[in-house]
Amino acid sequence: KNEVEQSPQNLTAQEGEFITINCSYSVGISALHWLQQHPGGGIVSLFMLSSGKKKHGRLIATINIQEKHSSLHITASHPRDSAVYICAPSSNYKLTFGKGTLLTVNP
Amino acid sequence: EAGVAQSPRYKIIEKRQSVAFWCNPISGHATLYWYQQILGQGPKLLIQFQNNGVVDDSQLPKDRFSAERLKGVDSTLKIQPAKLEDSAVYLCASSLGPSIADTQYFGPGTRLTVL
C-alpha cells in the first residue's frame, strides 16, 4: 500500500481554470512539502506546511493533519504551470514522495 | 547563487557495466541527498549525507550501489554492475541542514539508461 496517494494522476485544464490537486497520506507526519517538477528533471520546492494554509502568488496549499490530507490549488492557471506536482510528507527527517500529478494547461 | 550541479546529464550503458555520477551541492550546504526516480514514480531516497558522514542509507542497494562524500562537499554515486532496473533519473539535492524545515535544492538529474 502506498503511503502517499495523489489525485488525479493526470489533469488537463484550459488556461484560466482553477486547479486542485489532492494528497492523502497514511503515516504520521511533522510537515508536508509540495514540489514542482518540469520536464527534464528539475524539481523546485513550492511549499512546506505543517498546519493551515499557505499562499504564494497564484498557488495555495492547505493541510488537515487530523484527516491526513493536503491540497494544492492554482488560481487562474497558465500554460507555464504545466508540470508534475509532487506531494511529499515528512517524518523522522525523511521525505516520502508521491508519484506526482501531471498537469497540462492548454492556452 | 549557483545551484546544485550534476554530471553527466545523460548516460547510456549496457547491463553489467559500471557507471558513476557526480554532484556538487550549493556552497555551504551540509546535507546532501541522492534520490532515484524511476519513470512515473516519485523520487526515492538512496542515501543522505551530513557533511562527510552517512545519515541514512537504508534504501541503498549496497551490493551494487556505493556513494561517498569524502571532503564533505562533492559527492559521487556509483553503480557496479548495473542492471536493467537501474534505468532511472538520479537526482542530487542539498540543504543547509538535515531539518525538514530546511529547503532541499535539487540538481537537474542524470538520466541513466541501462540496455
Side-chain angles (χ1 to χ4, degrees):
Chain A
K1 181 184 182 303
N2 287 333
E3 293 179 324
V4 184
E5 297 280 353
Q6 287 188 234
S7 63
Q9 290 187 354
N10 294 282
L11 179 57
T12 300
Q14 288 300 121
E15 184 173 358
E17 286 185 2
F18 181 82
I19 304 294
T20 296
I21 299 170
N22 295 300
C23 174
S24 296
Y25 50 91
S26 57
V27 296
I29 68 168
S30 46
L32 184 140
H33 298 249
W34 280 100
L35 307 106
Q36 180 192 57
Q37 185 171 28
H38 280 283
I43 294 178
V44 175
S45 179
L46 298 174
F47 292 103
M48 186 200 71
L49 64 165
S50 54
S51 65
K53 180 169 82 172
K54 283 192 176 180
K55 185 176 189 292
H56 181 68
R58 295 180 294 106
L59 302 179
I60 303 167
T62 64
I63 189 169
N64 186 317
I65 294 291
Q66 287 74 27
E67 294 186 4
K68 296 186 177 177
H69 182 270
S70 177
S71 294
L72 176 68
H73 306 283
I74 305 175
T75 61
S77 59
H78 190 276
R80 64 175 174 267
D81 297 328
S82 297
V84 174
Y85 291 84
I86 302 173
C87 163
S90 60
S91 62
N92 296 326
Y93 301 98
K94 185 187 297 188
L95 297 181
T96 301
F97 293 81
K99 291 185 178 181
T101 294
L102 175 60
L103 171 65
T104 303
V105 181
N106 294 318
Chain B
E1 179 185 81
V4 177
Q6 290 188 247
S7 67
R9 292 295 313 277
Y10 304 92
K11 190 73 177 178
I12 301 174
I13 62 172
E14 297 196 348
K15 60 183 179 184
R16 291 188 289 274
Q17 285 188 321
S18 301
V19 65
F21 312 128
W22 173 81
C23 172
N24 181 228
I26 292 174
S27 177
H29 281 194
T31 308
L32 185 146
Y33 309 80
W34 282 103
Y35 292 95
Q36 179 193 59
Q37 186 176 24
I38 292 172
L39 186 65
Q41 298 184 19
K44 181 184 84 170
L45 179 68
L46 293 175
I47 189 167
Q48 177 183 345
F49 290 96
Q50 180 66 17
N51 296 309
N52 61 349
V54 175
V55 174
D56 184 351
D57 63 356
S58 57
Q59 298 193 90
L60 186 74
K62 299 181 184 64
D63 57 334
R64 297 184 302 106
F65 286 64
S66 64
E68 60 184 14
R69 193 184 184 201
L70 291 175
K71 296 182 180 179
V73 181
D74 293 8
S75 177
T76 56
L77 176 69
K78 297 179 181 178
I79 308 175
Q80 180 179 12
K83 293 185 175 182
L84 296 176
E85 59 260 36
D86 297 333
S87 294
V89 175
Y90 291 85
L91 294 162
C92 178
S94 71
S95 61
L96 279 171
S99 167
I100 54 162
D102 290 317
T103 300
Q104 291 188 30
Y105 295 86
F106 287 79
T110 296
R111 183 176 297 277
L112 173 67
T113 302
V114 182
L115 302 175

